[in-house]
Amino acid sequence: MPMRFVRLNPRFDRQETLNLLQVRREGMLPSSISSYPDSKYPILVPWLFSRRHLLEFFAIPGEFCLNKASSFQSGRVYGMDITSGAAVAALLLDIFDRVHSSGLHRHESRDEKEPVRVLDLCCAPGLKLCMISDLVPANSVVVGVDASKSRLSLCKNIIEKYHIDATTSGSSLPKNHDIKESEIESVLQMTRVRHSPVKIRLYCADGTTFGASTQSTLNLVFDSMLAHEEHKTRGKRKRMNKSARSREKRRLLELSSQSSNDNGSTPDNSSADREELSSKGSEEKMISVDKECGTSFMPPFDRVLVDAECSSDGAIRHIQQRQSSSSSRGPAWDDSNMDELVDLQQRLIDSGFRLLKSGGILVYSTCSLSTRQNEDVVDWLLKRYNNAFIIPVSFFQYSEAECASIDLQFIEEGEISGTVRFRPHVNTAENDCVLSGGGFFLSKIGKRNEREQAMNY
């Protein structure tokens, strides 16, 4: 059975969490325990690791019953596929960028402490949104958009578990994070980050038109600042009563209306919001105009993740269901409606690029292995916009290996240079250490500003 993966919640003590993850202590069926000695699991995934950025994934056996494990129930770990984590890491960090022969990255660098605005355009079920919120600096703004009310409800529950509820969201920073001396300053900064909550907002909206009109930004369904207030008021009650639900709905409507008039800021504007309010006459104002992409009624974002709807043909669970004769359900997307799906993907990546500020970064990803859904969509965007360009990414060059040697043959360069494909490993031998997840594609795309366009790139 393929591995499954967990990401550590950086607000809990690291070693305590790892102790809880020992497979003999919880989460394993008795018949499976003998195959997995304590000394082996959990296994650090070295190809997606940076202690300085609190980026840590661990592999555990596929039989591990995560939803019954105390480490999961207490909020200490996220159950998240490693390849999905790679998309977020590529979006927010430059440590996986492949350096050009000139030795320079061909996109704007930024201060790691500076607040950012990040958009997750297809955010449900919310695990990537939570990872973004864990890794961005203090006072950043993270916006999630999804067209499905039911999926957003699940997303809201996950955010409340890991970022709102005091019993499962964790302390400000682990007590024993086993930090190297060279990383102390970064960790002190991360400590300050954890004392200044990130503002998270969820909108129920069509990702292809979000921000294209004031109407498209009115359906605000979650605001983390309001959620924190509500949890303090609620006390030990697990659920909101009727009065609390009415109060939340009324305040969200007020915030939605306010957003359409003042850049989406709450009364206690974050520094990221204040920068937008102060930069009148620039692209940071409420109605931003991009010469190539057109008008947007939402302040532009520094980072945009478009993890697009796809055929899911690379997802391990999808592959296993397809191989099982007992599965009678056909895929939602197949050859009969592939043109419709690709059109949706093009509109999603186009919308994400429209909402991206000049000098910003967009990551387009799918859990498909189809060229039509991946490289062809990226190529369509590159041809459509002169200011779009590939930022080459590689997961081979950065590996602070706690595992001595691992098999990375599942990571390949895509058909467009600088893009990445992850091949799924479904039929893994019992004791193989193949630290791969599901099939996945990602591309990191920059948006040049006018000065850069004027240069001969």
Side-chain angles (χ1 to χ4, degrees):
M1 178 177 289
M3 301 283 187
R4 67 186 311 171
F5 298 88
V6 295
R7 182 174 69 84
L8 301 191
N9 183 337
R11 290 172 293 280
F12 281 94
D13 181 272
R14 178 179 184 271
Q15 193 55 53
E16 288 177 4
T17 299
L18 293 177
N19 289 341
L20 281 174
L21 276 173
Q22 292 293 325
V23 294
R24 280 192 184 275
R25 298 188 184 186
E26 61 169 9
M28 290 291 293
L29 297 173
S31 59
S32 303
I33 287 176
S34 60
S35 300
Y36 300 98
D38 287 340
S39 59
K40 186 172 181 180
Y41 294 96
I43 303 171
L44 176 72
V45 180
W47 64 264
L48 193 67
F49 170 73
S50 173
R51 186 74 56 79
R52 186 168 78 91
H53 297 95
L54 302 184
L55 176 63
E56 291 186 286
F57 278 80
F58 286 83
I60 55 178
E63 296 91 342
F64 193 96
C65 301
L66 190 62
N67 63 336
K68 296 180 180 180
S70 62
S71 55
F72 175 77
Q73 294 174 347
S74 63
R76 287 177 171 271
V77 298
Y78 299 82
M80 183 177 183
D81 195 82
I82 188 70
T83 52
S84 294
V88 176
L91 179 73
L92 299 179
L93 308 176
D94 62 7
I95 58 176
F96 302 105
D97 292 358
R98 198 167 70 202
V99 181
H100 286 260
S101 57
S102 63
L104 298 174
H105 297 285
R106 292 246 175 153
H107 64 92
E108 290 185 355
S109 59
R110 51 173 293 277
D111 185 346
E112 289 187 358
K113 302 176 185 179
E114 181 183 347
V116 291
R117 284 177 53 83
V118 184
L119 172 65
D120 186 351
L121 198 56
C122 309
C123 69
L127 292 169
K128 288 185 288 294
L129 190 82
C130 282
M131 182 173 174
I132 290 170
S133 302
D134 283 342
L135 299 187
V136 293
N139 298 315
S140 293
V141 177
V142 179
V143 174
V145 176
D146 204 279
S148 168
K149 289 183 179 179
S150 59
R151 292 200 303 263
L152 273 178
S153 179
L154 174 61
C155 187
K156 177 181 174 181
N157 290 340
I158 290 175
I159 293 170
E160 288 186 336
K161 174 183 177 179
Y162 288 104
H163 284 272
I164 306 298
D165 191 325
T167 61
T168 54
S169 60
S171 57
S172 61
L173 198 74
K175 303 166 192 170
N176 306 309
H177 214 270
D178 192 22
I179 301 298
K180 297 178 182 178
E181 186 175 347
S182 60
E183 298 171 343
I184 289 177
E185 176 55 36
S186 174
V187 172
L188 288 174
Q189 168 61 14
M190 293 304 294
T191 305
R192 292 190 287 271
V193 167
R194 299 310 158 203
H195 286 292
S196 303
V198 170
K199 182 164 72 177
I200 306 171
R201 283 186 165 186
L202 298 178
Y203 290 85
C204 187
D206 182 349
T208 66
T209 58
F210 181 68
S213 66
T214 54
Q215 189 67 30
S216 69
T217 64
L218 290 179
N219 199 4
L220 178 68
V221 298
F222 177 83
D223 179 274
S224 60
M225 301 302 180
L226 293 185
H228 277 293
E229 293 177 14
E230 174 56 38
H231 270 259
K232 289 178 182 177
T233 304
R234 192 189 312 173
K236 294 184 178 181
R237 294 198 315 271
K238 289 288 186 182
R239 297 180 180 274
M240 288 191 291
N241 56 29
K242 186 175 181 180
S243 174
R245 288 195 298 271
S246 297
R247 182 171 61 248
E248 180 192 47
K249 186 175 181 180
R250 183 176 64 253
R251 294 198 65 185
L252 287 171
L253 285 171
E254 291 172 356
L255 282 176
S256 294
S257 177
Q258 179 184 342
S259 296
S260 65
N261 295 314
D262 66 358
N263 286 350
S265 307
T266 54
D268 56 335
N269 293 323
S270 73
S271 56
D273 289 325
R274 289 195 297 269
E275 288 178 9
E276 291 160 12
L277 289 166
S278 65
S279 54
K280 296 178 181 179
S282 73
E283 70 170 3
E284 298 294 315
K285 57 190 177 182
M286 182 61 197
I287 301 178
S288 62
V289 180
D290 185 292
K291 290 182 179 179
E292 296 221 22
C293 301
T295 301
S296 177
F297 290 81
M298 171 67 67
F301 293 86
D302 301 279
R303 301 284 188 273
V304 174
L305 175 63
V306 182
D307 188 37
E309 175 88 6
C310 69
S311 61
S312 303
D313 55 271
I316 289 177
R317 186 176 301 173
H318 176 93
I319 295 171
Q320 290 172 331
Q321 288 176 348
R322 190 171 58 190
Q323 292 175 342
S324 171
S325 58
S326 62
S327 177
S328 59
R329 286 184 57 189
W333 299 101
D334 54 29
D335 291 341
S336 67
N337 55 10
M338 188 55 59
D339 289 344
E340 180 184 349
L341 174 58
V342 171
D343 177 69
L344 171 62
Q345 291 166 336
Q346 289 176 344
R347 288 185 288 123
L348 284 169
I349 196 173
D350 185 71
S351 178
F353 197 72
R354 168 177 52 82
L355 292 161
L356 184 67
K357 69 182 292 187
S358 294
I361 291 170
L362 178 148
V363 165
Y364 174 80
S365 61
T366 76
C367 56
S368 169
L369 301 176
S370 162
T371 300
R372 281 197 69 188
Q373 298 175 57
N374 296 325
E375 287 92 343
D376 287 357
V377 172
V378 172
D379 186 59
W380 176 86
L381 184 81
L382 297 175
K383 290 176 178 176
R384 183 173 175 85
Y385 297 110
N386 293 327
N387 58 343
F389 66 102
I390 294 291
I391 299 172
V393 173
S394 173
F395 293 94
F396 291 100
Q397 63 192 39
Y398 193 85
S399 178
E400 293 183 21
E402 288 188 17
C403 289
S405 62
I406 57 172
D407 180 5
L408 293 179
Q409 293 183 20
F410 60 89
I411 304 177
E412 304 173 351
E413 185 166 50
E415 294 176 20
I416 297 177
S417 179
T419 62
V420 179
R421 280 173 170 266
F422 299 90
R423 296 287 177 183
H425 279 245
V426 181
N427 300 313
T428 306
E430 184 175 281
N431 290 315
D432 279 357
C433 180
V434 182
L435 301 181
S436 64
F440 203 76
F441 169 86
L442 73 85
S443 175
K444 186 170 183 175
I445 301 168
K447 187 175 189 178
R448 297 190 187 102
N449 57 37
E450 292 184 5
R451 178 181 58 81
E452 290 172 326
Q453 277 193 271
M455 298 170 63
N456 292 324
Y457 266 81

